[in-house]
Amino acid sequence: MNALKALAQAEPTPYWLEDPARPEPLPSLVETTTCDLAVIGGGYTGLWTALMAKERDPSLDVVLVEADRVGGAASGRNGGFCAASLTHGLWNGMERWPDQMGELERLGKENLQGIADAVTRYGIDCEFEFTGELHVATEEWQLADLAEEAEHGIRLGHDLRLLDRDAVRAEVNSPTYLGGLWDRDGAAMLHPAKLAWGLRDACASLGVRIYERTPVTAISESRDGVWLRTSYGGVRARRVALGTGVFPPLLKRLKHYLVPVYDYALMTEPLSDAQLASLGWRNRQGIGDSANQFHYYRLTADNRILWGGYDAIYHFRNGLRHELESRPETFARLSSHFFRTYPQLEGLAFTHAWGGVIDTCSRFCAFYGTAFGGRLAYATGYTGLGVGATRFGADVILDNLGVGLAPGEVTPRLKLDMVRSKPLPFPPEPFRFGAIQLTRWSIARADANQGKRNLWLRTLDKLGLGFDS
C-alpha cells in the first residue's frame, strides 16, 4: 500500500518536459521552400545532423522540420544516460562484431567526448555530469557475468572497477546489492530535454532554419532532389536526413525492421539531506541492475531519483497512441520495486509518472542506410541507448550524404560492419506480437530461474536475436 500511496500525486507527464526552461515553439512552415539539406525530425538524430552539417560546411542551407516540438518524443522522455557504447553494451557488440569491437569502443569514447565538447562550445546548460555508470548484481548468478564483462572491458581499455558486496553498498546503499561493476568513464548523466533545447539553439545560431509543428506527410523523389510535403507547404531539398525513429514518415522498407516498444519511468520528489545521506551515492553514478528485465535509475541535479525500465511493452500491429504513455500497472510495479531496493526511503513520493516509445530493432543498436539513389540517408533503431549514439548516427548520415567530403570519399565509419549491415527483420503480424510476447515471458522466467534461458531464448541467441528488456 505504501508503494501505491507514493503515486497518489504523480503527474502523468514527463518530468523533463515540464521544466520552466522549455522554449516556446518556433513557427510552422506555411509555404514551399528549397534547401541544400532537409532534416526530418527534431529529436537528437535530427538535431545533431543539422548542427554537424553546418559545422562541416557552413555554406549549406539547412532546414529542419519537426512534427511536434523539438525534444518532445524520446529525446525529452528518456533517463538522461549518455553512454559511450554504440552497440548497446559490450556484450551485444562482442556477440555481433568481435573483430571490430576495439575500434567501435574507441569511436564510442570519441563520440561521448564530442558531445561533452559541443555542450561546452555552445554553452548548453543540460546538467552534464561525467559520473560513469554502476551495474549492480541483485542475484548471485549475475556476479559471474559482471566479472567476465570487467575482464573484457579492461582488455579494451575501459576504466572499470569490480566491486564486492561491501564496496558496492559503500557507493550506494541498498540491501539488494550483492556486487557491482563501476564503468568510470563510459557514461555521463544529463537533462535530456535541455540537451535537445540547447541543440535547437545551437543549430539556429549557425543558421539552420527550424520549423516546429510541421509534420511531413509524404516523401517522394524529384528530378533534382527530394520533395517533402507538409501540412501547409513543402520542402524541395537536394539531400534529406531522416531522423524520425519509429514515427512516420517512415520509408516503407524500415517498417520491417522496427517495432515501437513503450518504456516507463517515475520521478521522485527531491530527497532531503538525511534521505540522501542514507543512500550514500556521493559519486552520483547512473545505475542499472543486471537482470534481463532491468531497472535504470539516477540522481537529477536537484537530487530527485528517476526510476525506470523493467516493463517493455509492445502493442499489436505496432500500436502508437498517446494513451499508451500511461500504464498504471507498470507504475505500481516500478514503485514497489523502488521501495524494495531502497526501504530507507519509505514515505518518499513520486511527482511524475510517464512513458515513451523506443525505436527497437532486432539487434538492439542503430542501423543505417540510404534511399532515393543516395539522396536520403537515415539512422534508426537505437533501442533505448540513443542519447549518446545519435550523434554517431548523425555522422554516419552525413557521411552517406557526402556532406563535407570529397566526391566518392568513403570514411572509416562507412566501412564498419555495424554500419554496412542490417538487423534481421521482424515477422509480420500476428507472428510479430506472438514472438515478442513469448520472448517477454521467457526472459521473466529466466530471471526467476537463476538466469537459465529456455529453448526459445537459446534459439534467439543462436540467430543473433538475444533479447533483454
Side-chain angles (χ1 to χ4, degrees):
M1 180 59 69
N2 288 334
L4 294 180
K5 285 182 178 179
L7 293 164
Q9 299 297 320
E11 293 287 339
T13 55
Y15 167 79
W16 310 115
L17 295 176
E18 287 199 336
D19 196 288
R22 187 176 193 180
E24 290 299 313
L26 295 169
S28 304
L29 178 65
V30 292
E31 60 187 359
T32 296
T33 190
T34 61
C35 64
D36 297 314
L37 174 66
V39 179
I40 308 174
Y44 295 142
T45 298
L47 292 164
W48 282 117
T49 301
L51 182 67
M52 294 195 296
K54 293 293 284 185
E55 290 178 339
R56 290 189 184 199
D57 184 354
S59 70
L60 281 181
D61 181 16
V62 180
V63 167
L64 184 149
V65 290
E66 160 57 35
D68 185 22
R69 294 175 65 177
V70 163
S75 297
R77 296 166 180 266
N78 63 80
F81 284 63
C82 187
S85 177
L86 304 176
T87 60
H88 209 283
L90 181 64
W91 287 133
N92 194 49
M94 290 287 290
E95 290 172 0
R96 301 178 193 284
W97 308 289
D99 295 339
Q100 295 185 348
M101 273 306 291
E103 185 177 6
L104 289 168
E105 294 293 273
R106 177 184 60 79
L107 289 169
K109 285 187 176 181
E110 289 179 0
N111 182 67
L112 179 57
Q113 187 59 53
I115 294 171
D117 292 344
V119 165
T120 300
R121 182 164 63 253
Y122 294 103
I124 299 174
D125 179 17
C126 63
E127 301 166 10
F128 190 97
E129 297 181 86
F130 253 126
T131 61
E133 185 173 357
L134 187 63
H135 305 277
V136 297
T138 57
E139 298 285 348
E140 290 285 346
W141 62 268
Q142 299 163 8
L143 293 170
D145 286 343
L146 291 182
E148 190 175 356
E149 183 175 352
E151 181 181 346
H152 285 289
I154 290 170
R155 191 179 303 134
L156 288 169
H158 296 308
D159 184 2
L160 301 177
R161 182 175 297 176
L162 195 62
L163 307 175
D164 63 17
R165 187 184 71 169
D166 291 341
V168 72
R169 294 184 185 183
E171 287 294 329
V172 186
N173 182 24
S174 169
T176 66
Y177 295 171
L178 304 179
L181 179 63
W182 184 5
D183 182 353
R184 292 166 59 86
D185 62 355
M189 299 297 112
L190 53 77
H191 186 304
K194 284 185 176 179
L195 175 61
W197 303 332
L199 289 173
R200 189 191 87 160
D201 290 345
C203 287
S205 75
L206 298 186
V208 177
R209 292 185 282 146
I210 302 172
Y211 300 96
E212 296 186 81
R213 295 173 175 169
T214 302
V216 174
T217 57
I219 308 174
S220 59
E221 192 171 11
S222 63
R223 185 175 60 184
D224 55 353
V226 181
W227 164 247
L228 310 180
R229 182 186 303 157
T230 66
S231 299
Y232 300 113
V235 183
R236 298 188 187 280
R238 290 176 50 232
R239 290 171 285 189
V240 173
L242 180 62
T244 54
V246 78
F247 291 96
L250 287 172
L251 293 171
K252 188 175 182 180
R253 70 188 70 170
L254 296 182
K255 295 181 181 180
H256 304 295
Y257 295 105
L258 291 172
V259 296
V261 171
Y262 279 83
D263 180 49
Y264 298 92
L266 306 176
M267 185 70 82
T268 74
E269 61 189 337
L271 275 64
S272 68
D273 290 343
Q275 288 170 325
L276 193 58
S278 74
L279 295 178
W281 217 340
R282 291 173 297 278
N283 291 305
R284 302 180 58 82
Q285 308 98 321
I287 302 177
D289 60 47
S290 302
N292 293 296
Q293 289 183 286
F294 62 90
H295 307 87
Y296 57 86
Y297 40 111
R298 48 77 59 99
L299 289 169
T300 64
D302 61 348
N303 291 329
R304 300 169 182 263
I305 298 176
L306 177 140
W307 179 269
Y310 195 79
D311 281 345
I313 307 300
Y314 170 75
H315 296 275
F316 188 60
R317 291 185 177 174
N318 288 11
L320 274 173
R321 300 187 300 278
H322 175 69
E323 59 266 27
L324 300 178
E325 295 168 7
S326 179
R327 195 167 192 267
E329 59 266 46
T330 291
F331 298 147
R333 185 175 296 116
L334 286 173
S335 181
S336 174
H337 294 174
F338 177 88
F339 290 107
R340 185 185 309 155
T341 303
Y342 296 133
Q344 65 268 47
L345 297 182
E346 183 176 351
L348 192 68
F350 296 106
T351 61
H352 295 76
W354 73 93
V357 69
I358 294 171
D359 57 337
T360 301
C361 72
S362 62
R363 73 183 195 187
F364 320 120
C365 60
F367 64 97
Y368 317 87
T370 61
F372 300 144
R375 292 173 173 174
L376 180 149
Y378 61 84
T380 190
Y382 297 98
T383 318
L385 210 64
V387 179
T390 43
R391 182 182 177 277
F392 179 84
D395 258 329
V396 174
I397 286 173
L398 295 173
D399 288 353
N400 272 322
L401 294 175
V403 175
L405 305 179
E409 181 179 353
V410 178
T411 67
R413 273 185 294 267
L414 296 183
K415 297 177 182 178
L416 292 167
D417 291 341
M418 183 183 76
V419 171
R420 294 162 57 90
S421 62
K422 293 287 191 296
L424 290 174
F426 289 101
E429 296 289 18
F431 305 106
R432 175 177 298 192
F433 182 79
I436 292 173
Q437 295 306 106
L438 176 58
T439 302
R440 292 189 68 244
W441 176 82
S442 297
I443 63 175
R445 286 286 303 271
D447 283 338
N449 192 29
Q450 302 298 308
K452 295 177 181 177
R453 299 170 77 81
N454 63 15
L455 178 60
W456 174 252
L457 293 181
R458 294 197 303 273
T459 301
L460 293 181
D461 292 339
K462 289 180 181 178
L463 294 173
L465 298 171
F467 185 79
D468 61 31
S469 66

